[in-house]
């Protein structure tokens, strides 16, 4: 098979009543000249190696955020921040003020 091209000088819509699947054998590139919006009930990303976000600013708005790596985790909720680790926790930098 060769290369396929679909082009529109106006709006272009794809609708599937059940599932819509895109498969690329090697790499897939999505490019948008403006903003790119994804709306869904839930959004899942799975990678066998790396997930990387590169941006001037990254904003996350959620009821809670949990970062987990091995035996360590950081959980941020509207009630507080919890840091736990099965190993040593190091804080480096300027003095940290607690309950001031």
């Amino acid at each position: 098979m060769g290369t396929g091209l679909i082009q529109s000088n106006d709006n272009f819509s794809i609708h599937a009543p059940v599932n819509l699947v895109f498969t690329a054998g090697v790499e897939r590139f999505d490019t948008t000249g403006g903003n790119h919006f994804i709306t869904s009930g839930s959004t899942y990303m799975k990678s066998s190696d790396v997930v990387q976000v590169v941006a001037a600013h990254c904003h996350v708005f959620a009821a809670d955020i949990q970062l987990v790596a091995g035996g360590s985790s950081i959980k941020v909720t509207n009630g507080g921040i919890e840091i736990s680790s099965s190993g040593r926790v190091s804080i480096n930098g300027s003095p940290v003020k607690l309950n001031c």
Side-chain angles (χ1 to χ4, degrees):
M1 275 193 180
T3 300
L5 174 66
I6 299 173
Q7 186 172 339
S8 173
N9 292 326
D10 201 356
N11 292 327
F12 182 80
S13 297
I14 298 174
H15 172 75
V18 182
N19 293 320
L20 181 61
V21 178
F22 293 98
T23 302
V26 179
E27 293 182 337
R28 178 180 151 184
F29 297 90
D30 293 339
T31 302
T32 304
N35 296 319
H36 191 110
F37 296 91
I38 300 171
T39 303
S40 68
S42 295
T43 303
Y44 299 89
M45 291 189 298
K46 182 179 181 180
S47 177
S48 61
D49 189 19
V50 175
V51 173
Q52 178 176 309
V53 176
V54 177
H57 305 279
C58 183
H59 302 256
V60 177
F61 302 96
D64 64 83
I65 299 169
Q66 188 164 358
L67 302 173
V68 178
S72 300
S73 68
I74 300 173
K75 185 172 185 179
V76 180
T77 66
N78 61 1
I81 300 172
E82 179 183 308
I83 301 172
S84 61
S85 179
S86 57
R88 186 175 141 196
V89 176
S90 299
I91 300 173
N92 298 309
S94 300
V96 176
K97 295 181 179 183
L98 300 174
N99 298 322
C100 296

